[in-house]
Amino acid sequence: MIRVVVADDHPIVRAGIVALLQSAPDVDVVGQASDGEAAVSIVRAERPDVVLMDLRMPLLDGDAATAQIVAAQPDVRVLILTTYESDDQILAAIEAGATGYLLKAAPESEILAGVRATARGETALAPSAAAALVRRATGGTPAGPNLTPRELEVMRLVAQGNSNPAIGRALFLSETTVKTHLGHVFEKLGVNDRTRAVTRAMELHLLP
């Protein structure tokens, strides 16, 4: 059996991951954590084979928790499972000691295969993570997160100072849909507000 600890601060998301893992006959979920500090403590107590680690969590983020776990228990392998896929986030996680990096949007079969590969000591990488490592190895310029054309349109209007209702009118979208797009952008850029989103998008050359 592959003994797994799941660390994710969103209860519903965490429950879904746990349910997926428990559906596999060769996986046993031995602990759950809602923040990075709890993840480190549970891993210390349970000594699992694999930790499925989100990146953005309270008290201690996924990178820092990964570094602590790997330093204290090098036989425990950490597989990042997150929404974020910028080069900086991917490289920081790998440098912290993560064995693999997958996205929550990946098919369930890919996530399970990643857990099994990580338990065997193999590297499980989403295509975006593999590309980031190749760019680092070849000296290429890191690419930013992959915003959709609609998300870029929304961000351009945000950068111009438009409110959500104004953006909705300009793009023929409901205000709720605009907020949804912004939420996705915030997640991809790793930010929590509009101002930082615009600044980060400019840093990554996603906006002029």
Side-chain angles (χ1 to χ4, degrees), residues 94-109:
I94 300 300
E95 288 168 0
T99 300
Y101 194 108
L102 295 179
L103 299 177
K104 291 177 181 176
E108 292 183 349
S109 59

Side-chain angles (χ1 to χ4, degrees), residues 6 8 10-22 32:
V6 177
D8 196 298
H10 295 286
I12 295 176
V13 174
R14 188 171 66 250
I17 295 169
V18 169
L20 169 63
L21 295 175
Q22 289 178 332
Q32 301 181 41

Side-chain angles (χ1 to χ4, degrees), residues 2 4 10 39 44 57 59 64 83 90-91 113 115 127 142 144-145 153 158 170-171 173 176 185 189-191:
I2 302 170
V4 179
H10 295 286
R44 186 184 303 118
M57 291 188 294
L59 303 182
T83 308
I90 293 167
L91 294 170
V115 169
E153 287 179 326
V158 170
L171 298 179
L173 300 173
T176 299
V185 170
L189 297 181
V191 301

Side-chain angles (χ1 to χ4, degrees), residues 87-163:
D87 278 19
D88 289 345
Q89 291 162 326
I90 293 167
L91 294 170
I94 300 300
E95 288 168 0
T99 300
Y101 194 108
L102 295 179
L103 299 177
K104 291 177 181 176
E108 292 183 349
S109 59
E110 185 176 321
I111 293 173
L112 288 174
V115 169
R116 293 178 179 120
T118 301
R120 294 192 299 267
E122 301 171 4
T123 300
L125 293 175
S128 55
L133 294 178
V134 169
R135 283 190 290 269
R136 166 63 65 88
T138 58
T141 302
N146 183 27
L147 298 188
T148 67
R150 179 63 84 186
E151 289 166 354
L152 286 171
E153 287 179 326
V154 170
M155 282 306 301
R156 290 189 191 102
L157 292 172
V158 170
Q160 295 168 10
N162 291 282
S163 65

